[in-house]
Amino acid sequence: MLAAVLARAVTSLRLRALDLGDRALGRGDRLVPPRRLRGFAGDSDFVATGDELLGLARAHGGLSAGSRVLDVGCGIGRLARTLIGRLDPAAGGAYVGFDPVASAVAWCAARYPAHFRFVHADLRNDLYNPDGAVAATDYRFPVHDGWATLVVATSVFTHLDRAEVDRYLDETRRAMAPGARALLTFFLLDDDSRAALAGGRARQPFAETAGEQAVADPEVTMAAVAHDRASVLEELEGLGLEVAAVHVGTWRGGAGLSYQDLVVARAPA
């Protein structure tokens, strides 16, 4: 325990020193968070990942100046940063993001214009917010019915168990306007990914993949969760959404559009 505390302290001091160096060299960007605040968002490059999400939103989400974007699990603004200058409030463009990490939401809320709204969702999650007050299965997304023309949920369902996934899919459907699209990423369990896992080719390991859900770490179950592809797609279709495309991810050990599997869903017009 003491060793872990000391390691975190050393890491914090190192990141703060790097942040000071960035400011001294004029490398600061108002919408790129300091290194010390990026740790909970994973190991990916903040700017590069945001730019990738923008590309997916444009190519597969119908993003336009008038889009109303709901960012599920917005983190510290990876997608939001790329939408500055692209969402035009005069054309109806707006953004709502929510996340269980209070410091991330507060950081973003202090930096974005009025047509960007950030909401702290005090959700229980054993990885990001273990003491949260609200179960994900009870959470209502912070938008009115039919508000969103584009819902983006990246690296969200990969940290939820199946009951929570079902709730979030139901809320995604409720939030979608007629003709809206949703970009949802998963670790999907199917014949291809199960074979990659069994053969040691997958970049993200999971155990006990025969069922509808598998976890990578039994001690921190929400660290990485995979879900059965057929049941996820059936749930979406049962909600009245068209599954427009499924793009497999590079996590399986081969080529892919992105690291995680991407499901593109569309609401009827």
Side-chain angles (χ1 to χ4, degrees):
M1 179 65 73
L2 178 59
V5 171
L6 289 174
R8 285 196 295 270
V10 169
T11 298
S12 177
L13 289 172
R14 180 177 62 82
L15 294 177
R16 287 176 184 275
L18 290 170
D19 290 336
L20 287 172
D22 283 344
R23 288 197 292 271
L25 294 172
R27 292 199 297 245
D29 181 325
R30 178 173 172 79
L31 298 181
V32 175
R35 288 177 174 85
R36 66 183 183 278
L37 295 181
R38 296 183 216 169
F40 74 86
D43 297 328
S44 63
D45 181 274
F46 179 84
V47 172
T49 300
D51 291 345
E52 178 185 294
L53 293 177
L54 173 64
L56 295 175
R58 296 173 72 176
H60 303 281
L63 181 70
S64 70
S67 292
R68 298 187 301 275
V69 179
L70 174 61
D71 192 358
V72 180
C74 63
I76 206 157
R78 289 186 304 189
L79 175 62
R81 178 191 64 84
T82 71
L83 299 179
I84 288 289
R86 290 184 170 84
L87 295 182
D88 181 0
Y95 169 99
V96 174
F98 69 89
D99 199 90
V101 180
S103 59
V105 169
W107 191 90
C108 290
R111 286 163 174 79
Y112 283 82
H115 61 298
F116 282 70
R117 182 165 68 95
F118 294 88
V119 178
H120 175 229
D122 192 16
L123 296 160
R124 283 194 297 280
N125 184 279
D126 67 354
L127 179 64
Y128 291 115
N129 193 29
D131 298 321
V134 181
T137 50
D138 295 328
Y139 188 67
R140 181 180 174 88
F141 290 179
V143 294
H144 298 304
D145 294 3
W147 179 85
T149 61
L150 173 60
V151 179
V152 179
T154 61
S155 287
V156 173
F157 295 105
T158 54
H159 301 296
L160 300 178
D161 68 24
R162 187 49 201 257
E164 295 167 337
V165 166
D166 289 347
R167 173 64 176 184
Y168 270 42
L169 291 179
D170 188 58
E171 280 295 285
T172 295
R173 177 68 184 95
R174 180 189 65 78
M176 293 172 73
R181 299 185 190 186
L183 306 182
L184 316 171
T185 70
F186 293 85
F187 294 122
L188 292 174
L189 295 173
D190 53 29
D191 290 345
D192 174 73
S193 63
R194 287 186 171 100
L197 287 161
R201 300 188 303 276
R203 296 167 63 188
Q204 171 62 64
F206 290 98
E208 302 296 330
T209 61
E212 290 195 354
Q213 176 175 307
V215 300
D217 184 351
E219 294 186 3
V220 186
T221 56
M222 298 299 103
V225 188
H227 297 281
D228 180 70
R229 172 175 174 154
S231 65
V232 168
L233 301 189
E234 287 171 7
E235 179 70 16
L236 287 166
E237 291 168 351
L239 291 169
L241 295 172
E242 174 194 355
V243 178
V246 179
H247 301 279
V248 299
T250 61
W251 77 274
R252 299 162 177 253
L257 189 64
S258 187
Y259 180 66
Q260 295 178 5
D261 302 317
L262 173 66
V263 177
V264 182
R266 186 163 48 215

